[in-house]
Amino acid sequence: MASSTSSAASVDKIPTKDVLNFLQSSTTLNSFLAEHSAIPTEVDIALRQSAFAQLKSIVSPKHADVKLVLVPTGSYGLGVWAVSCDIDCLCIGSISTSVFIQLARQRLKKAATQGVRILRTVKSASGTYFELEIQGVLLNLQYCPATEVVETWPRINQASVSDSMFDLPVTSRKKLNAWRDNYYLTHSIPDIPTFWLAHRFLRLWAAKRGILSAKFGYLSSFHLSLMLSRVCKLVSRDKGNPTAPDIVRTFFNHYATFDFAVHMVFDPDVHAPKPRYQRTSREHLVILTLHAPVINAAYSISMNSLPTLVEELKRADRLMSYEDASWSDLISSGEVLNPHEALRGGPVDFIKAFKSYVKIEIHYWGASSAKASTLLEWLATKCVTFNSELNTKLPEIYARLWPTRFADVGANQGLDRDHRAFYLVGLALSRPEMPQHPVPKDDPHNRAIQKTLQDILQRFTEQIRGDERSYDPTSSWMDCTVIRQADIGAVKLDDREWGRFVIDDDEADNEDAEKDDVDSDEDSSNMTFEAGDTIFKKPKKKSSPSRNVKPQPVVIAGKLRPAVDILNRLRWDPTVDESDYLVGYEDRFLGIREIPLDRWKGEQTDDEFIPQHRIMHFKRKSDGEVVWEKERKLDKVFGSGAT
């Protein structure tokens, strides 16, 4: 484990790198971004403002005792959004999460005639949220119960860390930080318009170079915001008013030479003089958030994806040092696969960069568009696991996964229910930071690599096809093969919509989706906010006394530590062997089931996701002892409950 002392950057300022020739003009950069639709038009801005205002009107309560505040977060809240971005919305209120979920669902369904659709309700480790479509704009709506925060709004923006309003569960504070981080950045960056312009280019660059996708282990817009804000603040100490091109040039130079294995990316004002964060050996890149609880926003970036990020940063830094550099050069080399094809930019460079590729094909011909989306989302997560296995079991090979889908030219045309696409993983016999050495085809070591690679491909294919829960062979087909560059053929990016999740009934939302959010205990049962908005709780069943039941001794039990605390302790305590524990959970149809702790998935996007409220016990495999059990309030890990 690296200490914060060794991980802190050794400098408190960054020397500005001036750009050369015509790149110096911010006007030139503006024009370039406009040509690539990276700057929203007035129509785009007005449409999103209207969609957000409509959502605010829908969820706003009419009852005097209920207070709700709706704020934009994410890239839209920070002002660096692209047309392709969803609008992330956080609703802060004085009612419980379960009540808000019911209330919001009722209101949103009533607004269906006004162009409002609930695409799906997502249950993740951070809580339940809605994916919505309003006036053709995609929005994500999440809720955070924080009574004092909403009653004193907007005092949160100036409140100190020790303020009583932050006496909230960790999950609630993390949700609030999505707003607080954005508010701090927009009010602390020296020149916010320059930041916006530089960020838009960096986002376009990352997307075109295939490294803007957090779910594939690459960068996100939030990562870029934190990395860029650091550069803006440190550069301002060296050069009073740098231009956006100067900021971009310095960004690439700073991070191209940044030792991510030793140093951490952090805000120089918030974490001055050095951050107190203790990184672990699993964290290959650390980008610290701004407010407590401070976390590593880049935890998903692995040792497999980091070399790709560094390679792209060094490439950009090298190109910007040339006197004849252009903004287009940073996006791509300008090469094309075929003059008559539409594929341009980074994907072309990727296809030309490797001699061999793993082609992961997927074909779906079923009637359900929702199942098509589910299948595609599930396969994407499996591709990340596959790429990681390649880099782990074949360290001699550099495997790079491109985060967007490809399709053969002419595929999917005129067929509403026939979807064909594939992912590509480039293969090389050395990593970007290592020198290239030609290896003879008949080399024994090379043959061993090929055999191991084929074994990995076969195992991956069997795993996908054998998953009855997510893969249906009657409506889908999948294959995984190694192909040469010349065999790729005429391809395009698959930007076709495979289908959207549309919720037409209450599904399981009324049963226990809200139990995932143990954030508030306010009882709002039988509350009516306005005509038609009735929120209710199911009455508890009264058990009739039996004369044959012997009286049991009454145990005065304390509060039982929640399952998430046990999960974290067993996973992260270095004295505990995680592989020696089982998680017992309640299956809706099969009763109590058990799976190994190291296989437990906490995100809804994982194919093995199970909500935490269904955890019933934790058991040690070596001796069969139950160390935590919900029903008996047993806790031998922390000693809480009736232990």
Side-chain angles (χ1 to χ4, degrees), residues 393-497:
K393 295 190 175 180
L394 286 173
E396 307 93 336
I397 283 185
Y398 167 57
R400 175 174 179 176
L401 170 65
W402 191 262
T404 52
R405 303 184 306 275
F406 295 91
D408 293 325
V409 172
N412 304 330
Q413 293 183 355
L415 300 172
D416 292 337
R417 293 182 178 178
D418 191 84
H419 303 273
R420 299 171 185 263
F422 57 89
Y423 286 100
L424 288 177
V425 181
L427 302 176
L429 283 175
S430 63
R431 296 184 177 274
E433 69 274 12
M434 297 168 58
Q436 297 268 355
H437 297 292
V439 180
K441 291 184 178 180
D442 58 349
D443 183 80
H445 183 60
N446 191 21
R447 291 198 299 269
I449 291 177
Q450 292 179 359
K451 183 180 184 307
T452 303
L453 176 60
Q454 290 299 327
D455 291 342
I456 294 175
L457 296 183
Q458 182 178 353
R459 186 163 56 252
F460 177 68
T461 303
E462 292 174 350
Q463 179 187 18
I464 297 296
R465 294 178 179 177
D467 194 317
E468 298 179 356
R469 180 176 174 181
S470 302
Y471 182 83
D472 183 1
T474 64
S475 61
S476 54
W477 174 85
M478 172 268 174
D479 197 18
C480 184
T481 57
V482 176
I483 61 173
R484 296 176 300 173
Q485 181 191 95
D487 297 330
I488 294 178
V491 298
K492 62 182 180 180
L493 290 180
D494 179 35
D495 54 2
R496 184 188 184 195
E497 182 67 65

Side-chain angles (χ1 to χ4, degrees), residues 295-313:
I295 62 173
N296 178 14
Y299 189 84
S300 62
I301 296 178
S302 67
M303 62 181 296
N304 308 311
S305 55
L306 183 57
T308 299
L309 300 181
V310 174
E311 178 189 19
E312 290 296 340
L313 288 166

Side-chain angles (χ1 to χ4, degrees), residues 279-334:
R279 74 187 297 173
T280 67
S281 58
R282 298 184 183 183
E283 297 173 283
H284 303 282
L285 190 154
V286 176
I287 304 176
L288 297 182
T289 55
L290 305 174
H291 294 91
V294 175
I295 62 173
N296 178 14
Y299 189 84
S300 62
I301 296 178
S302 67
M303 62 181 296
N304 308 311
S305 55
L306 183 57
T308 299
L309 300 181
V310 174
E311 178 189 19
E312 290 296 340
L313 288 166
K314 289 183 176 180
R315 173 188 176 275
D317 179 50
R318 182 177 64 256
L319 291 175
M320 287 203 78
S321 67
Y322 300 155
E323 291 189 6
D324 59 346
S326 70
W327 295 115
S328 297
D329 292 337
L330 296 173
I331 301 301
S332 72
S333 64

Side-chain angles (χ1 to χ4, degrees), residues 198-272:
H199 190 288
R200 291 191 183 282
F201 175 78
L202 292 173
R203 181 188 180 91
L204 176 65
W205 162 78
K208 295 295 185 180
R209 300 305 303 172
I211 56 172
L212 186 70
S213 180
K215 73 176 182 179
F216 283 95
Y218 296 125
L219 296 172
S220 69
S221 179
F222 185 52
H223 295 152
L224 290 174
S225 298
L226 294 175
M227 295 171 73
L228 180 60
S229 66
R230 168 185 171 82
V231 171
C232 288
K233 292 181 178 182
L234 294 181
V235 163
S236 66
R237 301 176 183 179
D238 178 68
K239 184 176 182 179
N241 296 302
T243 65
D246 288 337
I247 292 292
V248 172
R249 173 73 176 97
T250 306
F251 178 94
F252 287 134
N253 180 259
H254 177 60
Y255 290 112
T257 58
F258 197 87
D259 190 348
F260 291 104
V262 177
H263 301 319
M264 298 187 290
V265 179
F266 59 90
D267 187 283
D269 297 330
V270 173
H271 299 289

